[in-house]
Amino acid sequence: MLTSINPANNKLIKSYSEMPGEELSKIISLTDESFKHWKETTFSLRCELMKNAAKVLRKDSEEYSILMTTEMGKPILQSRAEVEKCAWVCEYYADNAEKFVADEIIKTEATKSFVSYQPLGVILAVMPWNFPFWQVFRFAAPNLMAGNAGLLKHASNVSGCALAIEEVFRKLNNIL
């Protein structure tokens, strides 16, 4: 059992069941299958979805800020700033990722040489508790824009934040 305890008053916020191994194996397989399709999507689609993530974050900013403050004790002003920074990083990579991973022609003795950036696959993100949204989004935005897929193993004391982040990504196609 995972528990989130409010550090301000040591009261239980919520308990979460640990994910059984079979369910985790299924999620890994599904994520790998999703990656095979995701890596083929266009930058314009990825850009639209990442900008939608920024909209979701801003729309529900107060809810996410209160959750962060309650679960890990961050002052509410810092929580609000963290959510805004996450929205910013989504927009930044939406606007710039295609340039960052564009093929680069390099000078060699060969007729034509270039560096090409290709998606790596499913990447595991093991995240700390102290910046429960920022650490995830600074990982997710560039990696998703580059065509990778990600799995999150968040710190157990911020399970509510982890589930809220999952919900941000679930809302991308149904935004506003």
Side-chain angles (χ1 to χ4, degrees):
M1 188 66 62
L2 305 174
T3 58
S4 288
I5 306 289
N6 184 326
N9 59 20
N10 284 333
K11 290 187 179 175
L12 176 69
I13 299 167
K14 190 169 181 178
S15 295
Y16 302 88
S17 298
E18 291 188 38
M19 186 178 293
E22 313 81 56
E23 187 177 348
L24 180 57
S25 293
K26 182 179 177 184
I27 289 170
I28 291 169
S29 293
L30 288 171
T31 305
D32 186 53
E33 285 304 310
S34 295
F35 162 69
K36 292 172 184 167
H37 300 286
W38 180 250
K39 71 179 182 176
E40 301 299 331
T41 60
T42 64
F43 272 101
S44 62
L45 175 60
R46 293 180 207 166
C47 177
E48 177 185 345
L49 292 171
M50 196 57 62
K51 287 188 177 196
N52 283 352
K55 289 176 186 173
V56 170
L57 286 161
R58 287 192 177 107
K59 180 178 159 291
D60 298 329
S61 175
E62 193 63 14
E63 173 188 335
Y64 302 141
S65 298
I66 291 168
L67 177 62
M68 259 190 279
T69 294
T70 304
E71 275 198 327
M72 55 81 55
K74 184 181 292 271
I76 192 70
L77 290 176
Q78 290 180 17
S79 295
R80 289 177 182 137
E82 184 167 331
V83 174
E84 177 56 34
K85 190 174 180 180
C86 293
W88 168 83
V89 83
C90 290
E91 291 170 338
Y92 178 81
Y93 281 101
D95 292 339
N96 294 291
E98 188 171 15
K99 293 178 275 192
F100 293 158
V101 297
D103 289 348
E104 295 178 31
I105 304 296
I106 57 174
K107 187 173 181 170
T108 67
E109 295 175 8
T111 304
K112 182 177 181 182
S113 299
F114 65 97
V115 174
S116 179
Y117 298 92
Q118 300 297 316
L120 298 172
V122 178
I123 301 172
L124 175 63
V126 180
M127 296 294 164
W129 61 271
N130 57 335
F131 290 93
F133 271 65
W134 170 245
Q135 294 290 3
V136 175
F137 279 92
R138 77 179 199 145
F139 154 81
N143 278 291
L144 293 173
M145 287 302 299
N148 297 306
L151 289 172
L152 172 63
K153 191 288 179 208
H154 216 318
S156 60
N157 63 319
V158 291
S159 295
C161 288
L163 293 170
I165 291 166
E166 177 183 2
E167 192 61 29
V168 168
F169 288 106
R170 289 189 184 279
K171 291 178 178 179
L172 297 186
N173 286 319
N174 304 321
I175 182 69
L176 308 174

